[in-house]
Amino acid sequence: MSQTDEYRFQVNLGGMIDILANHLYSSPRVFIREVLQNATDAITARKELRKVAAESNVLQEDKALEDTASESNDYEGKVIVELSGSGEHQVLMIQDNGIGLSEEDIHRFLSIIGQSSKKGADLLASETSFIGRFGIGLLSCFMVSDEIVVLTRSVKEGISMEWRGKPDGTYTIRRLETELPVGTQIYLRCKPGSEFYYEPAQVEESLFYYGALLPYPVMLSVDGETKRVNLPSTSWMQDPDQLRSRRSEVLDLGYRLMGERFSDFIPLRTTSGRTGGIAFILPRSVNLNSKRLHRVYLKHMLVSDKAENVLPEWAFFIKSLIWTDELQPTASREYFYENEQLDDVRSELGTCIREELLRMAQYEPDRLQHWIRLHELSMKALAVEDDEFLRIMYRWFSFESTFGRRELKELIQEADGRPLHYTSTVDEYRQITHVAAAQSMLVINGGYIYDSDILEKLHWIDPNLQTERLSPEEVSLSFTGLTQEERESYYGVLRVMDAALQPMRCRAELKRFEPVSLPVLYTISQDALTLRSMENTVEETTSLFSNVLDSLKAGVQQNSGYSTLYFNLNNPVVARILEATDTQMVTAATEMMYVNALMMGHYPMNRSELGLMNRSVLHFINWGLGNGQNA
């Protein structure tokens, strides 16, 4: 047996710090978030310390905790950010009055990469209270500074300490003679090329961007002037139901944080209360495939303003502001892990939106109608997946029909107990719409996305609502046939018409139907339509793909059959064609009627059909000029 030697991985510390500091985050400005986060966690830790001390009832025995408890009676956490100097000599100082760090804490948490004060078995291990957990956030400061200086005094130890860290992985620690206030100060000197991130306006914007919802005051001091940067109160975050009574304030907040004017919103909250938010309804129609970008805060700190996965796919008419303390961020804290917890939160937030829409349907139908008109497509998408939602909403959905575009409740009234007829494709609807409208026949266009799905589910929602799919062939069955005398009279002309249409795999039929103004009606089966689409694609694609389509066409062609062009004997032009004795005239007129029917039905024409149209037009121009000669 060969000997097995064991070795330890070697770490290039400087290279590791460079990777974490300069390549983990999407932008250098994120260092503001990291220092804000550390300050907020320190304040939270100090409050937790007081709480634990009170609960353990050791105040009388432990002098240090007694002092802490005494301070905490009037304790208010605060973060101060101060800018001084100019250009490359600018210094950014971030100060908090949180728990501070002892010498032991400095060795454990500032000097070991990946070691965080927010995990482990000690007092600070309450996972739900702290933002950070990876122990790498402070390294982001090396993106904008060549040295990080930390001055700190622990509330427990009382000794002032200084820690200096450099991007090559070295650091120094020393005890200070002076007594600092309890808390931590971080000093960052501007690194050459990073002046932009030290500009007062940029610092203020970044502080608000990341920390607008922080529960403690964040103060910015520049040239002796100090002002609060974040929002003054976030009490509604604990109880989103308060939002309903603060409508104008909420809409202003939406504009300030999301950069868009909204007019309506839906409060969000999971059953655990650990995730809440505001779902702003977009005041404009949006494309079904548009990105769903939401602004998400983790424990009051912005994680992302481009989160796409916190709401269901169908909620694309919503732009939301979400706060949570239960989702798991990635190491960069710019995204969330796709896990079961995120699935549950997404589902619950979707339920909030759905229930609010149902509430509107019951108590505020005008409000619901307004939003349906603007975002009908997404609501139909939701209705297809959710029978309960469909049960409440279907009356307000609108459909194209031979009676015009109407809401379904109006179309049901028009049907007056009779089945609702619908087509499954837009092409079928276009084929029969003129005929059906002329006969006062109600037909709904079910060809648009989700429409036929909704119509097919109506009888499950209400047994009294019956729907029937209608095909062009079924409409043609209502046409009036020819008399025996007419069939004998037009037999010869019909053969000429059939011969003219043969190359297009179409046959001619003579019928009488309404409206009189409609000379012909073109119908085609689904298989024949598929074959037609494949043939048109072959003409426009590469030879390689054409060969593939040709092999597929063979299978479809066997079942496709012929399309039918119905000539309306009630139409005066058709009547004159049938009386014509010139075979070439009948052929040209038949071809012209064929391409006219294709255009009326919005069917794309292939090259041979375009050539047919061109040839027929030239025939008629030539005849119209009176020379009686063919072109």
Side-chain angles (χ1 to χ4, degrees), residues 44-110:
T44 303
R46 188 167 176 179
K47 288 193 169 185
E48 290 286 329
L49 182 65
R50 164 64 183 167
K51 182 180 175 184
V52 170
E55 291 175 351
S56 62
N57 197 27
V58 295
L59 299 181
Q60 301 304 316
E61 302 173 6
D62 190 319
K63 187 64 171 61
L65 292 180
E66 183 180 7
D67 292 343
T68 302
S70 176
E71 288 177 359
S72 298
N73 288 333
D74 301 318
Y75 176 67
E76 181 184 5
K78 182 185 295 186
V79 181
I80 299 174
V81 180
E82 185 175 302
L83 267 173
S84 60
S86 60
E88 294 183 5
H89 302 291
Q90 278 193 311
V91 174
L92 185 69
M93 187 276 290
I94 305 95
Q95 179 181 8
D96 67 73
N97 59 348
I99 193 169
L101 296 171
S102 65
E103 184 171 355
E104 182 188 356
D105 293 336
I106 290 175
H107 283 294
R108 288 177 60 196
F109 305 129
L110 291 187

Side-chain angles (χ1 to χ4, degrees), residues 30-257:
V30 80
F31 83 96
I32 290 284
R33 184 190 69 190
E34 298 301 328
V35 293
L36 265 182
Q37 170 187 295
N38 286 340
T40 304
D41 284 342
I43 293 169
T44 303
R46 188 167 176 179
K47 288 193 169 185
E48 290 286 329
L49 182 65
R50 164 64 183 167
K51 182 180 175 184
V52 170
E55 291 175 351
S56 62
N57 197 27
V58 295
L59 299 181
Q60 301 304 316
E61 302 173 6
D62 190 319
K63 187 64 171 61
L65 292 180
E66 183 180 7
D67 292 343
T68 302
S70 176
E71 288 177 359
S72 298
N73 288 333
D74 301 318
Y75 176 67
E76 181 184 5
K78 182 185 295 186
V79 181
I80 299 174
V81 180
E82 185 175 302
L83 267 173
S84 60
S86 60
E88 294 183 5
H89 302 291
Q90 278 193 311
V91 174
L92 185 69
M93 187 276 290
I94 305 95
Q95 179 181 8
D96 67 73
N97 59 348
I99 193 169
L101 296 171
S102 65
E103 184 171 355
E104 182 188 356
D105 293 336
I106 290 175
H107 283 294
R108 288 177 60 196
F109 305 129
L110 291 187
S111 308
I112 302 177
I113 295 173
Q115 186 81 345
S116 172
S117 63
K118 298 96 182 180
K119 62 185 180 183
D122 66 3
L123 175 66
L124 310 180
S126 177
E127 190 182 349
T128 60
S129 300
F130 302 100
I131 306 169
R133 66 176 68 177
F134 298 100
I136 58 176
L138 193 62
L139 298 178
S140 65
C141 296
F142 286 131
M143 291 189 287
V144 296
S145 180
D146 286 329
E147 185 180 46
I148 302 172
V149 179
V150 177
L151 305 182
T152 183
R153 184 164 79 90
S154 170
V155 71
K156 296 181 290 184
E157 192 173 83
I159 300 173
S160 300
M161 302 294 300
E162 177 194 87
W163 178 90
R164 288 176 180 268
K166 297 194 174 182
D168 61 3
T170 62
Y171 67 92
T172 61
I173 297 177
R174 71 184 178 102
R175 294 191 175 197
L176 300 178
E177 298 297 329
T178 56
E179 184 174 302
L180 298 173
V182 171
T184 301
Q185 302 167 36
I186 299 174
Y187 290 85
L188 303 173
R189 183 177 294 278
C190 181
K191 178 176 163 179
S194 299
E195 293 81 3
F196 171 75
Y197 301 103
Y198 285 74
E199 292 178 2
Q202 178 63 26
V203 172
E204 181 177 350
E205 181 185 334
S206 296
L207 288 172
F208 183 79
Y209 178 74
Y210 290 113
L213 300 186
L214 284 175
Y216 313 118
V218 177
M219 314 298 293
L220 176 62
S221 178
V222 181
D223 297 332
E225 291 187 9
T226 302
K227 63 178 177 182
R228 179 166 182 158
V229 176
N230 62 330
L231 298 173
S233 173
T234 56
S235 62
W236 36 264
M237 293 182 71
Q238 283 71 47
D239 183 12
D241 286 339
Q242 292 182 26
L243 297 170
R244 295 186 189 278
S245 61
R246 305 169 71 169
R247 183 179 179 80
S248 59
E249 184 181 339
V250 171
L251 295 178
D252 287 343
L253 177 70
Y255 176 66
R256 193 169 178 194
L257 293 180

Side-chain angles (χ1 to χ4, degrees), residues 482 486-498 508-512 519 566-582 585-587 589-590 593:
L482 276 63
E486 286 174 327
R487 280 198 292 271
E488 292 174 358
S489 174
Y490 299 135
Y491 177 75
V493 180
L494 188 60
R495 290 190 60 185
V496 174
M497 290 177 164
D498 263 334
E509 283 268 355
L510 299 181
K511 296 284 185 180
R512 293 183 186 278
Y566 291 96
F567 286 80
N568 184 5
L569 274 174
N570 291 335
N571 181 271
V573 175
V574 172
R576 291 187 62 186
I577 294 173
L578 293 174
E579 296 298 331
T581 55
D582 187 334
M585 172 72 82
V586 172
T587 300
T590 301
M593 286 294 180

Side-chain angles (χ1 to χ4, degrees), residues 213 236-237 240 243 274-278 297 321-325:
L213 300 186
W236 36 264
M237 293 182 71
L243 297 170
R274 297 182 61 184
T275 298
I278 308 168
Y297 291 80
L321 176 67
I322 306 285
W323 50 85
T324 180
D325 69 359

